[in-house]
Amino acid sequence: SLCNWLYNTALEQRITAWKSQRISVTRFQQEAELPEIKAAFPEFNEVHSQVLQDVLARLDKTYQAFFRRVKTGEKAGFPRFKGSNRYHSFTYKQYGNGARLDNGCLVLSKIGRVKVVWSRPLEGTPKTVTISEEADGWYVSFSCADVPCVELPPTGQETGIDVGLKSFLTTSEGDQVANPRHYRKAERKLRKCHQRVSRRKKGSQRRRKAVKLLAKAHQTVRRQRLDFHFKTANSLIKQYDTISYEDLQVRTMVKNRHLSKSISDAGWSQFLSILTFKAACAGREVIAVPAHYTSQDCSGCGERVPKSLSVRTHVCPACGLVLDRDE
């Protein structure tokens, strides 16, 4: 709650300074005021200084992203105040200064010694430590430098993949990976959880309990999708040295109100990010191919065959090639 209060107060200071005096307050000016804030509000002495500095760094990052979007002509979206239920994490910017490991436990300044259930051994040199709250508890994540890469032996194979909704992806060999549709399958349960929340009295203990159950249901869907993406990416990376994919503008595609839910359920952007990251760790290559005319140009002779989205089979009048549209 203190980090949330500091974030909103710093944002209000920036807005007021610009409206009244046309002055831009920088992150470093706000960090220089932290000792005065601690003197005026003693409760902030219970929070490590680097955690407070990271709050101001996050606010500055949102401002920089806002100005970047303005320059590129995108929908800008001015930084907003955070509600009490919208601030779920805090970060120690330097490992060893406020956060360290001791005999398998995590020692956090101003908090104490915390027992950790490790998902895997820590590799590389820890740089930052982030503590985050999720629906089923608290999690710690380390960002590390000099993490060793384990390169896979070359296979001499390469492929292209086309992500879709009917099947999650199709390779250039014609192999298809079924679309699991995790959100669609869980919609009925999620709808009941939403109804349970809406029927509870605001501010009551029963409503808070219903909100937690709803958050856990959404978390389950999110983790199912993430697990599927990682396993699919690993499977591709083990088989192929080079993987090419269609560079889709997913942000634009989800504006289609008929397909937006299905596209978000498939999670193409998350999958392609995971694929790129896993390939870099394994010494593989992932190439983004411009999406223009990839479904129109014949892969047999190069003839351009216009077709609408409803046409799922490619039939080339020049060379007679007949293939599934995605393949």
Side-chain angles (χ1 to χ4, degrees), residues 153-174:
T155 62
Q157 302 293 320
E158 61 180 25
T159 191
I161 61 172
D162 182 88
V163 293
L165 296 178
K166 184 179 178 182
S167 59
F168 179 73
L169 67 82
T170 304
T171 68
S172 55
E173 291 79 21

mmCIF file of all heavy atoms in Angstrom, residues 153-174:
data_model
loop_
_atom_site.group_PDB
_atom_site.id
_atom_site.type_symbol
_atom_site.label_atom_id
_atom_site.label_comp_id
_atom_site.label_asym_id
_atom_site.label_seq_id
_atom_site.Cartn_x
_atom_site.Cartn_y
_atom_site.Cartn_z
ATOM 1 N N PRO A 153 22.304 -29.899 -30.542
ATOM 2 C CA PRO A 153 23.030 -30.321 -31.753
ATOM 3 C C PRO A 153 22.211 -30.008 -33.003
ATOM 4 O O PRO A 153 20.979 -30.128 -32.993
ATOM 5 C CB PRO A 153 23.190 -31.842 -31.558
ATOM 6 C CG PRO A 153 22.137 -32.220 -30.565
ATOM 7 C CD PRO A 153 21.961 -31.038 -29.677
ATOM 8 N N PRO A 154 22.865 -29.590 -34.094
ATOM 9 C CA PRO A 154 22.128 -29.239 -35.320
ATOM 10 C C PRO A 154 21.414 -30.442 -35.915
ATOM 11 O O PRO A 154 21.909 -31.574 -35.868
ATOM 12 C CB PRO A 154 23.227 -28.714 -36.249
ATOM 13 C CG PRO A 154 24.505 -29.285 -35.722
ATOM 14 C CD PRO A 154 24.328 -29.422 -34.248
ATOM 15 N N THR A 155 20.254 -30.189 -36.498
ATOM 16 C CA THR A 155 19.466 -31.244 -37.134
ATOM 17 C C THR A 155 19.479 -31.139 -38.659
ATOM 18 O O THR A 155 19.092 -32.091 -39.341
ATOM 19 C CB THR A 155 18.007 -31.177 -36.655
ATOM 20 O OG1 THR A 155 17.435 -29.916 -37.057
ATOM 21 C CG2 THR A 155 17.914 -31.296 -35.143
ATOM 22 N N GLY A 156 19.883 -29.970 -39.186
ATOM 23 C CA GLY A 156 19.881 -29.762 -40.631
ATOM 24 C C GLY A 156 18.496 -29.535 -41.211
ATOM 25 O O GLY A 156 18.325 -29.556 -42.433
ATOM 26 N N GLN A 157 17.507 -29.321 -40.365
ATOM 27 C CA GLN A 157 16.127 -29.129 -40.820
ATOM 28 C C GLN A 157 15.695 -27.680 -40.618
ATOM 29 O O GLN A 157 16.152 -27.017 -39.682
ATOM 30 C CB GLN A 157 15.176 -30.056 -40.047
ATOM 31 C CG GLN A 157 15.501 -31.528 -40.148
ATOM 32 C CD GLN A 157 15.300 -32.065 -41.556
ATOM 33 O OE1 GLN A 157 14.339 -31.709 -42.234
ATOM 34 N NE2 GLN A 157 16.208 -32.929 -41.992
ATOM 35 N N GLU A 158 14.839 -27.197 -41.492
ATOM 36 C CA GLU A 158 14.234 -25.876 -41.318
ATOM 37 C C GLU A 158 12.771 -25.942 -41.725
ATOM 38 O O GLU A 158 12.368 -26.821 -42.496
ATOM 39 C CB GLU A 158 14.968 -24.821 -42.136
ATOM 40 C CG GLU A 158 14.969 -25.052 -43.628
ATOM 41 C CD GLU A 158 15.716 -23.955 -44.364
ATOM 42 O OE1 GLU A 158 16.591 -23.323 -43.760
ATOM 43 O OE2 GLU A 158 15.389 -23.747 -45.547
ATOM 44 N N THR A 159 11.976 -25.028 -41.188
ATOM 45 C CA THR A 159 10.538 -25.048 -41.475
ATOM 46 C C THR A 159 9.976 -23.642 -41.378
ATOM 47 O O THR A 159 10.625 -22.718 -40.864
ATOM 48 C CB THR A 159 9.803 -25.974 -40.482
ATOM 49 O OG1 THR A 159 8.462 -26.169 -40.925
ATOM 50 C CG2 THR A 159 9.776 -25.373 -39.086
ATOM 51 N N GLY A 160 8.768 -23.504 -41.886
ATOM 52 C CA GLY A 160 7.998 -22.283 -41.703
ATOM 53 C C GLY A 160 6.721 -22.637 -40.975
ATOM 54 O O GLY A 160 6.190 -23.739 -41.145
ATOM 55 N N ILE A 161 6.232 -21.754 -40.130
ATOM 56 C CA ILE A 161 4.993 -22.032 -39.397
ATOM 57 C C ILE A 161 3.987 -20.910 -39.663
ATOM 58 O O ILE A 161 4.363 -19.758 -39.881
ATOM 59 C CB ILE A 161 5.238 -22.173 -37.878
ATOM 60 C CG1 ILE A 161 5.815 -20.876 -37.285
ATOM 61 C CG2 ILE A 161 6.146 -23.345 -37.587
ATOM 62 C CD1 ILE A 161 5.893 -20.903 -35.767
ATOM 63 N N ASP A 162 2.722 -21.288 -39.670
ATOM 64 C CA ASP A 162 1.633 -20.336 -39.844
ATOM 65 C C ASP A 162 0.656 -20.544 -38.697
ATOM 66 O O ASP A 162 0.065 -21.628 -38.580
ATOM 67 C CB ASP A 162 0.936 -20.549 -41.188
ATOM 68 C CG ASP A 162 -0.180 -19.531 -41.414
ATOM 69 O OD1 ASP A 162 0.122 -18.450 -41.935
ATOM 70 O OD2 ASP A 162 -1.337 -19.829 -41.064
ATOM 71 N N VAL A 163 0.515 -19.534 -37.833
ATOM 72 C CA VAL A 163 -0.406 -19.661 -36.702
ATOM 73 C C VAL A 163 -1.822 -19.335 -37.167
ATOM 74 O O VAL A 163 -2.021 -18.548 -38.102
ATOM 75 C CB VAL A 163 0.002 -18.729 -35.546
ATOM 76 C CG1 VAL A 163 1.313 -19.167 -34.944
ATOM 77 C CG2 VAL A 163 0.080 -17.274 -35.998
ATOM 78 N N GLY A 164 -2.797 -19.977 -36.543
ATOM 79 C CA GLY A 164 -4.181 -19.781 -36.952
ATOM 80 C C GLY A 164 -5.140 -20.086 -35.828
ATOM 81 O O GLY A 164 -4.739 -20.295 -34.672
ATOM 82 N N LEU A 165 -6.419 -20.136 -36.143
ATOM 83 C CA LEU A 165 -7.469 -20.404 -35.163
ATOM 84 C C LEU A 165 -8.045 -21.807 -35.316
ATOM 85 O O LEU A 165 -8.332 -22.475 -34.330
ATOM 86 C CB LEU A 165 -8.594 -19.365 -35.298
ATOM 87 C CG LEU A 165 -8.191 -17.921 -34.993
ATOM 88 C CD1 LEU A 165 -9.364 -16.991 -35.215
ATOM 89 C CD2 LEU A 165 -7.670 -17.791 -33.572
ATOM 90 N N LYS A 166 -8.203 -22.259 -36.565
ATOM 91 C CA LYS A 166 -8.707 -23.617 -36.787
ATOM 92 C C LYS A 166 -7.729 -24.624 -36.202
ATOM 93 O O LYS A 166 -8.110 -25.528 -35.455
ATOM 94 C CB LYS A 166 -8.902 -23.847 -38.281
ATOM 95 C CG LYS A 166 -9.513 -25.202 -38.617
ATOM 96 C CD LYS A 166 -9.699 -25.364 -40.112
ATOM 97 C CE LYS A 166 -10.272 -26.736 -40.449
ATOM 98 N NZ LYS A 166 -10.420 -26.926 -41.910
ATOM 99 N N SER A 167 -6.450 -24.509 -36.553
ATOM 100 C CA SER A 167 -5.368 -25.232 -35.892
ATOM 101 C C SER A 167 -4.405 -24.182 -35.357
ATOM 102 O O SER A 167 -4.248 -23.114 -35.963
ATOM 103 C CB SER A 167 -4.649 -26.168 -36.862
ATOM 104 O OG SER A 167 -4.119 -25.440 -37.955
ATOM 105 N N PHE A 168 -3.787 -24.468 -34.229
ATOM 106 C CA PHE A 168 -2.932 -23.446 -33.604
ATOM 107 C C PHE A 168 -1.787 -23.050 -34.515
ATOM 108 O O PHE A 168 -1.481 -21.873 -34.666
ATOM 109 C CB PHE A 168 -2.405 -23.957 -32.265
ATOM 110 C CG PHE A 168 -1.497 -22.977 -31.579
ATOM 111 C CD1 PHE A 168 -2.009 -21.830 -31.001
ATOM 112 C CD2 PHE A 168 -0.124 -23.192 -31.531
ATOM 113 C CE1 PHE A 168 -1.177 -20.913 -30.377
ATOM 114 C CE2 PHE A 168 0.713 -22.282 -30.916
ATOM 115 C CZ PHE A 168 0.190 -21.148 -30.335
ATOM 116 N N LEU A 169 -1.144 -24.053 -35.139
ATOM 117 C CA LEU A 169 -0.110 -23.745 -36.126
ATOM 118 C C LEU A 169 0.002 -24.880 -37.125
ATOM 119 O O LEU A 169 -0.331 -26.026 -36.834
ATOM 120 C CB LEU A 169 1.242 -23.449 -35.462
ATOM 121 C CG LEU A 169 2.015 -24.552 -34.725
ATOM 122 C CD1 LEU A 169 2.824 -25.423 -35.679
ATOM 123 C CD2 LEU A 169 2.962 -23.927 -33.707
ATOM 124 N N THR A 170 0.468 -24.527 -38.322
ATOM 125 C CA THR A 170 0.713 -25.487 -39.393
ATOM 126 C C THR A 170 2.128 -25.276 -39.895
ATOM 127 O O THR A 170 2.533 -24.139 -40.151
ATOM 128 C CB THR A 170 -0.279 -25.283 -40.557
ATOM 129 O OG1 THR A 170 -1.618 -25.378 -40.060
ATOM 130 C CG2 THR A 170 -0.067 -26.324 -41.642
ATOM 131 N N THR A 171 2.898 -26.343 -40.020
ATOM 132 C CA THR A 171 4.258 -26.230 -40.531
ATOM 133 C C THR A 171 4.249 -26.346 -42.050
ATOM 134 O O THR A 171 3.256 -26.741 -42.660
ATOM 135 C CB THR A 171 5.163 -27.329 -39.937
ATOM 136 O OG1 THR A 171 4.741 -28.597 -40.448
ATOM 137 C CG2 THR A 171 5.083 -27.336 -38.420
ATOM 138 N N SER A 172 5.373 -26.008 -42.650
ATOM 139 C CA SER A 172 5.475 -26.079 -44.110
ATOM 140 C C SER A 172 5.453 -27.516 -44.616
ATOM 141 O O SER A 172 5.261 -27.754 -45.808
ATOM 142 C CB SER A 172 6.755 -25.374 -44.582
ATOM 143 O OG SER A 172 7.885 -25.913 -43.933
ATOM 144 N N GLU A 173 5.647 -28.492 -43.719
ATOM 145 C CA GLU A 173 5.528 -29.903 -44.093
ATOM 146 C C GLU A 173 4.088 -30.400 -44.027
ATOM 147 O O GLU A 173 3.817 -31.548 -44.366
ATOM 148 C CB GLU A 173 6.406 -30.784 -43.183
ATOM 149 C CG GLU A 173 7.902 -30.599 -43.380
ATOM 150 C CD GLU A 173 8.414 -29.366 -42.682
ATOM 151 O OE1 GLU A 173 7.732 -28.900 -41.753
ATOM 152 O OE2 GLU A 173 9.484 -28.847 -43.063
ATOM 153 N N GLY A 174 3.183 -29.555 -43.548
ATOM 154 C CA GLY A 174 1.785 -29.945 -43.447
ATOM 155 C C GLY A 174 1.381 -30.463 -42.082
ATOM 156 O O GLY A 174 0.204 -30.807 -41.875
#
